[in-house]
């Protein structure tokens, strides 16, 4: 067989990761990481974002920085604004254009477990605490702001495409 005139098309995935904060707030009992990832998939679908999405959460056994693949730059999914050009974990170069509220993270500024994750996101009682970040926070406050009792309130999640 001849290959004369055969044209091949190669599609390359751009080197970037998208991030968004959920539109809805959730209790700390997310059903673990798999439940939180399902929340992100549902919210991404509602926003019309394609692909696979995971929650930016750490647990006592899994660090957010280890479970997520981050390609740079990181952009805010709704506006394509660059949020982090080279390092998502320790600082943001721009604020997420969102509401001033808190998001569950369970994470230190470097994406490792902060020691508080509401019993690995399976408990919404006052017996446990969960680390939160400020959704439109500066520098590393987006990921690490305050550990609060898991029954204190419902908070948002950060989601990234994978």
């Amino acid at each position: 067989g001849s290959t004369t005139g055969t044209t091949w098309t190669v599609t390359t995935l751009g080197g970037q990761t998208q991030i968004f904060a959920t539109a809805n707030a959730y209790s700390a009992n997310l059903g673990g990481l798999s439940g939180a990832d399902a929340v992100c998939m549902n919210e991404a679908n509602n926003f019309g974002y394609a692909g696979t999405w995971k929650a930016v959460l750490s647990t006592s056994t899994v660090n957010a920085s280890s479970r997520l693949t981050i390609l740079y730059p990181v952009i805010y999914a709704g506006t394509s604004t660059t949020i982090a050009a080279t390092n998502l974990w320790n600082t943001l170069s721009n604020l997420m254009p969102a509401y001033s509220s808190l998001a569950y993270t369970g994470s230190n500024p470097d994406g490792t477990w902060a020691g508080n994750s509401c019993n690995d996101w399976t408990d919404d009682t006052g017996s446990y605490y969960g680390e939160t970040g400020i959704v439109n926070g500066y520098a590393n406050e987006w990921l690490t702001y305050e550990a609060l009792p898991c029954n204190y309130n419902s908070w948002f999640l950060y989601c990234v495409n994978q």
Side-chain angles (χ1 to χ4, degrees):
S2 172
T3 58
T4 305
T6 302
T7 303
W8 295 89
T9 303
V10 177
T11 304
T12 304
L13 178 64
Q16 70 178 21
T17 298
Q18 294 181 327
I19 189 170
F20 70 88
T22 57
N24 299 297
Y26 297 88
S27 85
N29 185 353
L30 295 160
L33 290 176
S34 62
D37 291 344
V39 165
C40 285
M41 285 297 298
N42 184 55
E43 291 240 3
N45 288 335
N46 289 342
F47 281 128
Y49 303 152
T52 301
W53 294 80
K54 288 187 175 182
V56 181
L57 288 176
S58 293
T59 68
S60 62
T61 58
V62 180
N63 295 323
S65 57
S66 300
R67 79 182 214 98
L68 302 171
T69 301
I70 306 296
L71 303 175
Y72 294 96
V74 177
I75 63 168
Y76 189 74
T79 64
S80 297
T81 301
T82 297
I83 298 300
T86 59
N87 187 346
L88 175 67
W89 303 114
N90 288 302
T91 187
L92 297 184
S93 55
N94 285 305
L95 299 177
M96 284 190 236
Y99 28 84
S100 180
S101 188
L102 298 178
Y104 291 122
T105 68
S107 300
N108 289 311
D110 64 358
T112 59
W113 184 52
N116 293 295
S117 57
C118 297
N119 197 23
D120 293 340
W121 310 112
T122 62
D123 196 307
D124 58 6
T125 69
S127 301
Y128 295 95
Y129 281 70
E131 187 66 47
T132 61
I134 303 174
V135 173
N136 63 351
Y138 287 97
N140 59 18
E141 287 184 340
W142 79 276
L143 201 57
T144 308
Y145 177 66
E146 184 176 15
L148 295 169
C150 300
N151 65 345
Y152 183 75
N153 207 342
S154 294
W155 302 117
F156 299 89
L157 296 176
Y158 298 118
C159 305
V160 294
N161 67 322
Q162 295 293 281

